[in-house]
Amino acid sequence: MTAAPTRDASTAGAHASEPQPGACVRPPSLVGHVMRISLPVGVLAGLAEVAWSYLLPIFSDAWRAVLPTTAAGLLQFIAAAVATDALLALVGGCVLAGLMWLLVKVTRAKAESSWLRTTAGTLLLGSAACYLYLGWIMLFVLLPGERGTVGYQLVVWGGAAVLVVASLLVVVLLNRAGRRRWRGAPLATWCGAAAVLVLAAMPGFGRQRALAVGGPAIAPTPGRPRSNVVLVTLDTLRVDYLGCYGHPWIRTPVCDALAADGVAFDQAIAQAPSTAPSHASIFTSVYPFDHGTENGKPMVRGLVTLADVLRANGYETAAFTSSTTTRSINSGLQQGFDTYDDSLVAWSSLFARDEFQQLIFLYLIGIAHHSQVRGEVVSDRAIRWLDQRRTDRPFFAWLHYFDPHTPYGSPPPFRGTYAGKAADGLPMAADRERYAEDVSYADHQLGRFLGALRQRGLYDDTLILVASDHGEAFGEMHDGVSETRHGRYLYDTTQRVPLIVKPAGTRGMARRAGEQVELVDLAPTVLSLLRIDIPAQFVGKPLDELLDGRPFSYAARDAHAFNVIDVAASAGAGASGRALEPKAGQPVMFVQQLAVRTPQWKYITIPRVPRAELYDLVSDPHERRNQARSQRELTADLHARVTRFWDPAKDVNRDPRQRLAPSLLKQLQGLGYLGGEENAPENEGSQP
Ligand SMILES: [Zn+2]
């Protein structure tokens, strides 16, 4: 009888009868040993992942939000962990067996030689670590929200099948060898497989684990059956990069058609220049310092979201998001959604070159770098969800397209469509052209979803809102500062965003609204149109008067934008943009920046420095000439109006980078946030 060289390195109980001296290892016995050793390792690794996940909130509070809080949720979580690890165990075990077999063949080593045992032990330990690591990555990156896809089925059902086949193999091998010492193992694998199959069939399995998280209790408003609601955010979309907002050469037929069916707002103001805080303001209808969200930092507990209110009023709520900044764990935006699909790996594009490379290489060396999925995936998921719905309830769907965000560039046929178009003397022409590709691509993908609504007869009776969370800058100059990308400044380049609303039951309205509105107005507008009570927490105002073409009661209201930025700790009073920016290695402070915007004036300040900028939006819409010194009275008035939102206690050396996991920090920096390379000033001073 022969024995595998891995035998002695395995855990207690894995031993067989003494090998014959000099016996060579044959593949059949190796398979048996692989099953005996690697499957229990896989199952144990799965359980260890679950345990480890529940320890994580000790280090980062954000984890608490995505862990199951119910017994059923926990069971499903365990099933998913064991299933993924059983799959990995099979693959890893086969590789391990092959390696050992080769080693024995090549070296003609005796099975009992000590160096061989050491090598086997090392390989086993290494593979166990790999199971833990890869299984954990798969659980948190791949699995959520992919229910119904081939890849998802492969993981869950494949994992269960592996357990069944493995237990059969072990039984056969043990019987053939006449040994009964591992009788418990087949039973355990049978039970494990059965548990996985039962749990996989349970409703809700494979959905975002954040399901259990909800806001405060909300009493429903009685009323008639209500229309469906679709909210679309086209991330990083500049207001002037849409055909319906006057761009000379970009093609955005879908948004243009939607604007022709509804109302386009010309002065819509986003509340923050970056993704997570701006979206949190959309959903909570409070200003950024009140929901506390920053990129990588979820919103505070206890707030009511639009999704909460709609769900309490009988809506099925679903979100399909596409960036690391909108993932539930990083933003808390999943609150109130029945389905929150924020997976950043799409099975459909898993083997596309770039995604595959990222998975294989970057994850293996610990750089979880995946930061977005394309709009195609967002539309695919949303359309699939539309077809798999089994309720008659009205729905609220949020679709988030990240494509216009850096890195720029879209697949064919959009790639290169605008080459040479931006050669009109504007800075960063190449970037503008590739950005425009992305906008057209996102527009096209949105069109696929709206087309699906039409095909199902849902378009006309659905309230559709399309907005951007912030714009994008391409070297614009403001008071001596060159602005690129977004996230740092509060100029209109990033804060004035497109907003198109098509009320349910209308078509061909083609109305423009020039009044100043804010993105915090979206949630109250939706509720007002649906005749649902607006929570007292919401600071935004309903826009139905503008949708109806009536005079707007809140036309004279201030609009606001806020963010937290890093400035040089040495920056003195009145320091302008360049002097504010910290140089490498320089001490920094993280301080609040506030902006207030009237229909004519825009005032931006950093009270801690203090820094004051005042622009006349009528005569100087691109905010180039700072008039704070010449308009002292107005400046003082606007300063008083905006600094009531300033909390000096939150100002000091609070470096958000310190609380972030290294992998998340890398992702955010890759997107240009928190000192990322793309935020580095480019083209500074090159253009007026
Ligand atoms: Zn964004």
Side-chain angles (χ1 to χ4, degrees):
M1 194 55 223
T2 59
T6 52
R7 165 180 65 88
D8 294 315
S10 65
T11 50
H15 58 83
S17 65
E18 281 305 307
Q20 301 297 316
C24 210
V25 179
R26 288 202 310 266
S29 67
L30 268 174
V31 171
H33 280 279
V34 162
M35 292 308 161
R36 286 188 202 179
I37 295 160
S38 53
L39 273 174
V41 166
V43 172
L44 285 175
L47 295 174
E49 279 156 21
V50 174
W52 169 236
S53 302
Y54 277 87
L55 285 176
L56 282 171
I58 298 172
F59 309 108
S60 162
D61 198 47
W63 278 97
R64 215 182 300 277
V66 293
L67 293 172
T69 52
T70 61
L74 178 61
L75 281 175
Q76 292 175 353
F77 187 23
I78 292 171
V82 170
T84 46
D85 285 327
L87 255 187
L88 287 167
L90 181 74
V91 176
C94 288
V95 172
L96 187 63
L99 277 176
M100 293 310 299
W101 186 77
L102 262 181
L103 202 62
V104 169
K105 277 279 175 200
V106 170
T107 62
R108 298 172 184 280
K110 302 283 192 305
E112 71 273 19
S113 82
S114 67
W115 71 265
L116 196 57
R117 270 183 258 162
T118 311
T119 311
T122 311
L123 281 172
L124 260 181
L125 278 177
S127 58
C130 282
Y131 296 152
L132 263 176
Y133 185 65
L134 279 178
W136 192 71
I137 293 282
M138 282 184 76
L139 266 181
F140 280 92
V141 178
L142 305 185
L143 203 53
E146 290 290 302
R147 184 185 175 87
T149 63
V150 175
Y152 173 86
Q153 301 292 345
L154 204 71
V155 168
V156 174
W157 300 100
V162 164
L163 287 170
V164 172
V165 171
S167 70
L168 277 174
L169 267 175
V170 171
V171 170
V172 168
L173 287 167
L174 288 183
N175 283 345
R176 188 176 284 181
R179 287 183 226 119
R180 301 274 169 189
R181 290 180 197 176
W182 271 68
R183 242 171 304 179
L187 184 67
T189 43
W190 276 109
C191 291
V196 167
L197 292 175
V198 168
L199 292 167
M202 284 170 67
F205 181 70
R207 283 183 179 178
Q208 176 52 248
R209 286 169 305 282
L211 259 181
V213 179
I218 299 153
T221 312
R224 293 176 295 123
R226 298 183 168 104
S227 57
N228 299 315
V229 181
V230 170
L231 169 66
V232 177
T233 48
L234 297 162
D235 207 291
T236 321
L237 176 57
R238 272 175 77 115
V239 65
D240 55 354
Y241 267 63
L242 285 174
C244 55
Y245 280 90
H247 197 277
W249 42 261
I250 200 167
R251 287 186 297 276
T252 51
V254 175
C255 286
D256 299 352
L258 195 73
D261 275 345
V263 182
F265 291 80
D266 288 318
Q267 304 284 330
I269 304 304
Q271 271 58 73
S274 48
T275 307
S278 186
H279 278 96
S281 280
I282 292 174
F283 284 105
T284 61
S285 189
V286 302
Y287 291 129
F289 297 152
D290 291 325
H291 58 61
T293 315
E294 291 165 31
N295 278 336
K297 182 185 171 196
M299 62 184 172
V300 298
R301 293 296 180 91
L303 291 172
V304 175
T305 66
L306 175 63
D308 282 330
V309 180
L310 292 175
R311 183 157 73 166
N313 280 277
Y315 274 76
E316 182 181 1
T317 53
F320 307 90
T321 80
S322 51
S323 77
T324 194
T325 41
T326 49
R327 292 209 75 189
S328 58
I329 194 169
N330 297 332
S331 66
L333 292 171
Q334 82 282 4
Q335 191 180 310
F337 284 103
D338 297 316
T339 301
Y340 194 84
D341 194 337
D342 61 357
S343 172
L344 293 183
V345 174
W347 292 106
S348 57
S349 55
L350 187 59
F351 295 100
R353 213 185 56 171
D354 50 343
E355 308 226 2
F356 190 63
Q357 281 173 346
Q358 288 192 14
L359 272 176
I360 298 302
F361 300 112
L362 296 177
Y363 282 137
L364 279 180
I365 58 173
I367 307 171
H369 202 66
H370 228 89
S371 55
Q372 59 180 298
V373 289
R374 286 196 195 287
E376 178 189 1
V377 176
V378 175
S379 292
D380 283 348
R381 288 174 179 170
I383 294 170
R384 191 164 56 232
W385 168 82
L386 210 55
D387 287 335
Q388 290 177 349
R389 292 180 69 232
R390 290 198 187 89
T391 75
D392 295 331
R393 291 188 287 155
F395 64 77
F396 168 51
W398 168 37
L399 281 69
H400 169 245
Y401 294 91
F402 202 61
D403 306 279
H405 199 287
T406 51
Y408 305 133
S410 284
F414 297 91
R415 183 175 296 158
T417 44
Y418 299 122
K421 285 278 188 187
D424 47 9
L426 292 170
M428 303 175 70
D431 277 356
R432 286 169 189 261
E433 288 163 3
R434 294 179 66 226
Y435 170 81
E437 277 173 25
D438 291 344
V439 174
S440 285
Y441 170 83
D443 182 80
H444 171 74
Q445 293 301 338
L446 170 59
R448 288 183 53 227
F449 179 73
L450 297 184
L453 286 182
R454 276 197 193 88
Q455 282 168 6
R456 288 153 187 78
L458 296 167
Y459 176 82
D460 285 338
D461 290 328
T462 297
L463 164 61
I464 301 173
L465 306 98
V466 174
S468 171
D469 57 343
H470 52 77
E472 184 81 323
F474 292 106
E476 284 82 359
M477 295 297 298
H478 314 275
D479 189 30
V481 181
S482 168
E483 184 187 19
T484 57
R485 315 291 191 233
H486 61 268
R488 181 165 182 86
Y489 300 110
L490 298 175
Y491 302 114
D492 271 13
T493 354
T494 55
Q495 297 322 113
R496 190 164 78 88
V497 292
L499 171 63
I500 301 167
V501 180
K502 184 199 82 69
T506 63
R507 226 179 217 215
M509 290 173 78
R511 191 170 288 148
R512 302 299 290 207
E515 288 82 351
Q516 174 169 281
V517 301
E518 297 182 284
L519 293 189
V520 287
D521 299 335
L522 295 191
T525 302
V526 169
L527 297 183
S528 175
L529 290 173
L530 300 173
R531 309 258 185 279
I532 293 173
D533 294 342
I534 298 170
Q537 166 203 303
F538 287 14
V539 300
K541 302 296 179 195
L543 305 177
D544 8 8
E545 289 168 338
L546 291 173
L547 296 173
D548 294 344
R550 287 180 281 146
F552 188 38
S553 307
Y554 309 100
R557 181 183 52 149
D558 290 343
H560 297 285
F562 307 96
N563 70 336
V564 174
I565 66 165
D566 55 332
V567 299
S570 56
S576 76
R578 294 291 292 272
L580 281 173
E581 277 170 13
K583 306 282 175 288
Q586 214 178 14
V588 294
M589 9 180 223
F590 285 79
V591 295
Q592 294 182 329
Q593 181 173 220
L594 310 95
V596 55
R597 192 183 190 277
T598 73
Q600 184 180 359
W601 297 93
K602 170 92 160 278
Y603 175 72
I604 309 169
T605 182
I606 303 171
R608 170 71 58 183
V609 173
R611 158 113 173 119
E613 292 168 85
L614 180 72
Y615 299 99
D616 182 344
L617 298 173
V618 175
S619 66
D620 178 25
H622 300 294
E623 297 158 288
R624 292 187 177 127
R625 294 184 302 278
N626 182 1
Q627 302 192 33
R629 291 220 171 94
S630 57
Q631 298 273 355
R632 287 182 185 278
E633 207 169 305
L634 180 60
T635 298
D637 175 40
L638 291 172
H639 187 81
R641 269 148 72 174
V642 76
T643 44
R644 67 193 171 97
F645 297 100
W646 179 42
D647 184 354
K650 289 185 180 165
D651 249 358
V652 265
N653 303 310
R654 189 190 49 86
D655 187 342
R657 289 174 290 203
Q658 286 168 357
R659 61 174 162 73
L660 298 175
S663 60
L664 176 60
L665 181 61
K666 276 202 184 83
Q667 287 185 335
L668 292 176
Q669 288 180 332
L671 294 174
Y673 298 115
L674 301 174
E677 50 184 309
E678 288 174 357
N679 230 19
E682 296 168 36
N683 297 11
E684 255 186 342
S686 63
Q687 289 288 333

